Amino acid sequence: MNNDEYIFQEFLAPTMQKTYEDIKNHVLLGASQQISKIADMLKSLCTECISRNCDLSMMRKIVLQCAHYYMKTRGSASRSIYNSVLLLINGLETSSDIDAFVHRLNLNIDNLMKENKKNLDIILSFSVNELSTCDTFMLFDYSSTIDKVIRKIASSRRINILIPESSSIRGGAPYLSLTKLKNVNLSFFPDAAIYFKLKQCDCVLMGAETFYPNGSGFNTIGSDMVGMLCKILGKKLYFITPFIKLDMRSMQGIHKELVRVDYKPEYCKPQLKDLSIETCIPELIEVTADCIYSYITEYGVLPSSQIFNQSMEYYNKIKVSQQ
């Protein structure tokens, strides 16, 4: 990006500047939280443009620059952020004046937040129904949606939760707050024991960073291993996710790039400091459709082998909203 593409940063209020830094430096985690903050940022930019007496052309440039920045950066990793920002800026290119521009942005934000809440409520309801015969769940890596599902189920009956943990990834630790729920028995163990513990559970629950119309889903490294073990042991693996995380680019031959991160464990960093040793692995990994039993979405409980038609319907709906 050239300097002109960063001009929106000059219009950020102090609180929004902090939000910008928190998202950039991975202090603010979770796609839903980031989407909410990006929406706040877009609204704040409108306010700042008005206070500086900017005309419609400048306001549009500033707001769309910010939106496209997040579609290109965070959106490349999280398709829900890309799709959400696309919905937030729907119609802004054709707004006739500043009042219409601001009104349309606020309307888009309200509609997105209401739709997300409605979809989450539906997903929670479908999850409770689908998982009603399961008593022991394995949760692999943290997902705020999975957390809500477990809390909903535990509000009415007693369940057992199995949580594998990696000393490098530390994706299981956030679930420890579930121990405060009276109906939850929690087992916390090293991820090396996944195969042993998997035999004790009724099903495995995962969130999805994104998923393809062919039924494959992406989640934290290790998810592919858990998926394969589920297939071998005949255990049901559910991906619980809203459709806003759908990535249709695979239909164009464009596949998700595996971003590699350094997972060097803290306890051995001193020993590895001066050694030329490879410690980088992909952050997210693909779990193929044949390893996933079903997706639980706002459109229902969909077997991974049957998700294509609904994906096309959702994609066409998104395309129509942009016309």
Side-chain angles (χ1 to χ4, degrees):
M1 292 185 178
N2 57 42
N3 290 334
D4 186 52
E5 289 181 286
Y6 281 107
I7 193 173
F8 77 86
Q9 294 180 45
E10 300 172 11
F11 286 74
L12 292 175
T15 53
M16 290 297 104
Q17 183 64 47
K18 183 180 185 304
T19 298
Y20 170 82
E21 294 295 337
D22 285 349
I23 295 176
K24 179 181 178 182
N25 298 321
H26 304 286
V27 175
L28 182 67
L29 300 176
S32 59
Q33 289 192 80
Q34 292 183 7
I35 291 165
S36 178
K37 291 300 183 181
I38 290 170
D40 290 343
M41 199 178 297
L42 297 180
K43 286 175 28 175
S44 176
L45 286 171
C46 287
T47 301
E48 187 63 23
C49 284
I50 292 172
S51 70
R52 298 191 190 189
N53 296 317
C54 296
D55 60 15
L56 175 61
S57 176
M58 177 58 78
M59 177 183 285
R60 181 180 285 127
K61 177 180 180 180
I62 296 300
V63 171
L64 293 184
Q65 263 185 12
C66 180
H68 292 151
Y69 168 79
Y70 282 111
M71 289 170 68
K72 186 174 183 178
T73 54
R74 287 297 300 121
S76 65
S78 173
R79 208 60 189 172
S80 65
I81 291 179
Y82 184 96
N83 291 337
S84 294
V85 175
L86 200 61
L87 292 172
L88 289 178
I89 62 176
N90 177 35
L92 297 187
E93 288 277 11
T94 57
S95 298
S96 57
D97 56 49
I98 286 179
D99 287 343
F101 184 94
V102 174
H103 174 74
R104 183 56 186 259
L105 176 62
N106 287 330
L107 183 64
N108 289 347
I109 292 172
D110 289 343
N111 287 342
L112 178 65
M113 298 308 167
K114 288 177 182 176
E115 184 75 7
N116 286 350
K117 184 182 184 308
K118 182 188 78 172
N119 290 342
L120 177 60
D121 289 341
I122 294 172
I123 288 171
L124 291 179
S125 176
F126 288 164
S127 297
V128 169
N129 293 341
E130 174 67 16
L131 303 172
S132 61
T133 60
C134 299
D135 296 316
T136 303
F137 305 85
M138 181 178 288
L139 316 181
F140 186 80
D141 200 56
Y142 184 76
S143 159
S144 59
T145 301
I146 301 299
D147 188 285
K148 290 181 177 66
V149 167
I150 290 300
R151 291 176 187 275
K152 185 76 172 177
I153 294 173
S155 67
S156 59
R157 63 187 177 92
R158 195 156 192 83
I159 55 176
N160 305 304
I161 303 297
L162 310 179
I163 301 177
E165 180 60 295
S166 162
S167 60
S168 298
I169 299 174
R170 299 180 182 176
Y175 281 126
L176 289 178
S177 62
L178 292 172
T179 56
K180 298 177 182 178
L181 303 180
K182 65 178 182 179
N183 281 339
V184 169
N185 295 321
L186 195 146
S187 174
F188 194 70
F189 56 91
D191 57 1
I194 284 178
Y195 180 73
F196 173 77
K197 283 288 192 179
L198 197 54
K199 299 173 185 177
Q200 304 171 15
C201 74
D202 297 312
C203 68
V204 178
L205 308 182
M206 291 186 190
E209 190 67 32
T210 190
F211 66 96
Y212 285 162
N214 69 358
S216 294
F218 284 80
N219 196 35
T220 304
I221 187 72
S223 300
D224 53 343
M225 173 183 66
V226 175
M228 287 297 296
L229 290 175
C230 284
K231 183 178 179 181
I232 291 170
L233 293 174
K235 299 293 183 178
K236 295 178 179 179
L237 168 57
Y238 291 95
F239 266 49
I240 305 181
T241 180
F243 253 84
I244 203 165
K245 295 189 176 185
L246 173 67
D247 188 346
M248 291 293 289
R249 291 176 298 175
S250 62
M251 295 282 290
Q252 305 165 20
I254 302 172
H255 298 279
K256 189 173 180 64
E257 180 183 354
L258 294 182
V259 178
R260 295 180 178 273
V261 294
D262 190 345
Y263 274 125
K264 194 180 297 161
E266 289 291 334
Y267 61 82
C268 64
K269 276 186 177 180
Q271 297 97 308
L272 296 174
K273 183 179 178 182
D274 299 319
L275 299 177
S276 179
I277 297 177
E278 175 63 55
T279 57
C280 293
I281 54 174
E283 182 179 17
L284 302 173
I285 201 74
E286 182 177 4
V287 183
T288 55
D290 60 315
C291 295
I292 301 171
Y293 178 72
S294 285
Y295 283 81
I296 303 181
T297 76
E298 68 268 33
Y299 292 103
V301 182
L302 307 173
S304 59
S305 60
Q306 300 175 26
I307 205 168
F308 180 81
N309 289 341
Q310 188 60 60
S311 296
M312 291 302 299
E313 183 179 323
Y314 180 81
Y315 177 62
N316 288 329
K317 171 187 169 184
I318 293 292
K319 281 204 304 184
V320 168
S321 74
Q322 289 299 305
Q323 295 175 353

